[in-house]
Amino acid sequence: MLRQRKFLISGFIIFLAIGYLGFVGFQSSATYYFTVSELAEQKSAIHDQNVRVYGQVAPGSVEQETAGNLLRFTVVHGEENLPVLYQGVVPDSFRAGGDIVVEGKLNSDGIFQAHTLMPKCPSRYVPE
Amino acid sequence: MADIGYFALLLALVGSIYSVITFIVAAKGKHPAWNRSARISLLAVCGLVSISVAALVYALVTHDFQIEYVTSYTSRDLSLGYRLSALWAGNNGSLLFWAWVLSVFATVALLTKRHLSRELLSYASSIIIATEAFFLILLLTVSNPFQKLLSIPLDGMGLNPMLENPAMILHPPVILAGYAGFTIPFAFAIAALLSWKLGDGWLTAARKWMLLSWLLLGVGNIIGAWWAYVELGWGGYWAWDPVENAGLMPWLVATASLHSMIMQRRRRMFKVWNMVLVVMAFSLAIFGTFLTRSGIIGSVHAYSESALGPFFLLFLALVLCGSLGLIYHRYDKVKGEIETESLISRDSIFLLNNLLLVGSAFIIFLGTIFPVISEALSGVKIGVGESFFNYVNGPIFLAIIFLAGVCTVIGWRRASMKVLLNRSLGPLVSALVLAAVLFFLGIREWPALIAFPVCWFVISTLLYGWFHDIRTNRRTKEVNYLKAFWNSIGENRIRYGACIVHLAMALIAIGVTGSSFFEVEKEARLKAGESMAIQHYVLTYEDIKHYQTQSTMVVRATLSVSNNGKFVGKLTPEKYFHQNFQQPVTEVAIRSTLREDLYVILAGWNKEGAVFKVLVNPLVSWIWLGGGIFLLGGLIVFWPKRREITSNNDEPIPESKEEVPDR
């Protein structure tokens, strides 16, 4: 079954190639995904790692400094809260009380430096 | 009105259960009288669901705010067009729409495939109607679009202004219809297994429907990407969000399926693989719906956890176990006869194409559900970002497109080296020249240095091959070039439609490469009269105005744009504040040319000035251009020929004369 073997080998090579791409891609972009409470538990372990944190934007905690385009707010989940600092364009769907995922690093002073905000659109937002 | 709608659905459920039973009885063949009864009941189901849809549409148009759905998605000041589109704007309405489209498709399939074996058609219809019954059960229990409110509000909440965009009128119904359409080929595959009619009959029936769903889903995805680009205002068009992936995975598998169906028709190969692909396409569509509506994967788009999740998961499990089990059971009777002979042949290229497409879908699947897997295995959720998907899929998609170009110059059983060189040398050399030119011009990003020449190679191979055929046609038929061109499309729509689709893919690839690697971004805070420069543009901030429409406050900034020193126009990025919605909506200002897009977002403003984020996105227009050509090509493939060779016997379709001759 020499012919079969040729195809099996080439198929296997493709499989390996895709697997390799996936592996490298994974290394470069895999991020932990924590809720605020889980982050509180992990504080020291993930210091200086890029992580994503999920929670709700605490109403009343949002401060926008238009001078430096800085946004400060607090993300809460359960009992824990996390102060966040973000610089950049604020997505439209960001709102106090809404769900949000922030991505960035936890500083040693306990403030989360976010480089990306991913507020959840309210459930009836996009049909698909 | 709500009661009519609900009651119609209830009757439809009864009718569909009756239909499933009678179709199975009819298939068994002992009581032919049931056949007629089954067919009528299917038509009745379609009619009843249509009544239900009509009821909801009527309620939407007439502001029947007693119905919760109408209140949630419309308001008194919403224009008629958007009120109609509210039918698919929300979860429950979109499921109703799906059920309706499915029932219409079922009716069309039943009526147009009369020549098929009664057994095949009856089993297939029963499966389609069983799926319909599933959706009806959902609609009657957890997803009732006719749910009433206890008191009638004065006005509805209105459609989210981000959805008030023509693309959002088209995108959901097209995607939903595409998903629903996958049911038909799936049903025919299972019917073939159940009835032991494992020849090509089911394939011919399934092919057109797979093509339709593939086309709808493809166009729907492109519209969605366009909407994201112009409406969401982050400068991109695809973020590998789980909901986006949910629409891409079935499409990739459907593409593989279309190609492998050709293999089965022409070369009698890949029979089992074909069945598996058809089942996978349908399963991924269901899975995608599950993903979107269950909230299991955190997504910016997803609906929050609703009760729908377990239903879809159960249905999916049933579908997968049932069909794969059935295929395994009948394996010996299904599998094809001929094996691929040569490693370099059109057969192998199709096989490779399939492997790449399915491989891509698989890895997108893994990446999408990774948080769930990692949590199950290690207790911690780990997600993968956009770069994962881009890194993996970039090379895969490029390889697939490259194959599309190579394929036209390689014969079916064996490649003829002479023909191969003859047809591809020119394009190959010119592609290398292009690579050198790009390098010389200063481009150093190696993915682009590979991608652009590959796309050029594909485009030139396709065009050259087509031109060669036209020239042959002209000579043999002694007509002029125009007539030869028209003839070539008319005689072999599949081939030239496919050629156009492949061209479109190459164009889209060019657009994606350009905008992914050469995007330039700049943020600036400007006072009135101040300017900023980006690339060869200079934007001068003029003023900012606030004004009120009936339901929205609009903030509009005006900038004048000059290109290389010459004034070219004004751009007006805006932000809307709809009275019912807390969040603002960004209206991006875009100036598009074939070369690049100038993309301006109004990020913020105060008394001193305004903050703008400006992007220059090269080659984005090529994506939309490619999308349009994709649609054109797909329609050409879809268009029926006047004398179509249908095979309700089991003979392979004879090879077309225009094929590259085997040597």
Side-chain angles (χ1 to χ4, degrees), chain A residues 3 7 14 18 21-22 24-26 29-33 66-67 69 89 92-93 95 119 121 123-125 127-128, chain B residues 73 88-89 160 162-163 243 292 300 303 340 352 380-385 387-388 523 525 582-584 586 606:
Chain A
R3 282 195 203 120
F7 288 105
I14 294 173
I18 295 182
L21 284 176
V24 178
F26 181 78
S29 79
T31 42
Y32 283 111
Y33 183 93
T66 43
N69 217 16
V89 177
D92 286 338
S93 38
R95 62 188 178 97
C121 308
S123 64
R124 56 182 179 79
Y125 192 72
E128 288 300 283
Chain B
Y73 297 100
W88 46 72
N160 192 302
M162 238 187 236
L163 301 182
V243 170
T292 316
V300 178
Y303 297 101
T340 39
L352 190 57
V380 188
K381 268 199 199 157
I382 300 179
V384 290
S387 56
F388 169 79
E523 240 177 77
R525 171 176 298 276
Q582 295 169 291
Q583 292 121 319
T586 306
N606 57 20

Side-chain angles (χ1 to χ4, degrees), chain B residues 298-318:
Chain B
S299 154
V300 178
H301 298 91
Y303 297 101
S304 52
E305 291 82 47
S306 66
L308 284 179
F311 278 88
F312 274 105
L313 207 52
L314 194 63
F315 184 69
L316 183 63
L318 205 67

Side-chain angles (χ1 to χ4, degrees), chain B residues 239-428:
Chain B
W240 298 105
D241 185 82
V243 170
E244 292 172 316
N245 296 345
L248 183 61
M249 288 186 284
W251 185 80
L252 289 171
V253 171
T255 311
S257 169
L258 286 176
H259 287 88
S260 94
M261 280 180 177
I262 295 177
M263 288 297 288
Q264 182 166 342
R265 267 178 90 216
R266 287 191 184 280
R267 308 275 294 126
R268 305 276 258 144
M269 309 162 100
F270 298 161
K271 288 187 170 187
V272 176
W273 180 242
N274 254 325
M275 292 216 161
V276 172
L277 283 180
V278 166
V279 170
M280 287 320 294
F282 179 60
S283 305
L284 283 169
I286 298 290
F287 178 75
T289 312
F290 161 70
L291 207 64
T292 316
R293 293 165 202 259
S294 69
I296 193 169
I297 304 280
S299 154
V300 178
H301 298 91
Y303 297 101
S304 52
E305 291 82 47
S306 66
L308 284 179
F311 278 88
F312 274 105
L313 207 52
L314 194 63
F315 184 69
L316 183 63
L318 205 67
V319 162
L320 274 176
C321 294
S323 14
L324 293 177
L326 204 55
I327 292 176
Y328 179 73
H329 192 248
R330 322 267 194 189
Y331 182 78
D332 286 330
K333 282 283 183 325
V334 184
K335 68 177 183 166
E337 292 119 36
I338 303 180
E339 314 232 316
T340 39
E341 293 163 16
S342 156
L343 203 55
I344 313 274
S345 61
R346 202 172 280 195
D347 309 340
S348 322
I349 292 192
F350 269 61
L351 178 60
L352 190 57
N353 150 293
N354 261 231
L355 286 176
L356 287 172
L357 282 166
V358 172
S360 170
F362 181 63
I363 211 144
I364 294 175
F365 178 78
L366 280 184
T368 307
I369 66 167
F370 199 76
V372 179
I373 298 178
S374 70
E375 190 170 28
L377 290 179
S378 70
V380 188
K381 268 199 199 157
I382 300 179
V384 290
E386 279 180 57
S387 56
F388 169 79
F389 293 105
N390 286 327
Y391 196 80
V392 173
N393 286 309
I396 295 181
F397 289 160
L398 197 61
I400 295 173
I401 292 175
F402 175 69
L403 288 179
V406 169
C407 186
T408 55
V409 300
I410 292 188
W412 277 105
R413 284 200 201 84
R414 250 183 341 277
S416 151
M417 273 303 149
K418 189 163 152 225
V419 174
L420 178 64
L421 280 175
N422 193 3
R423 293 264 189 113
S424 64
L425 198 60
L428 194 63

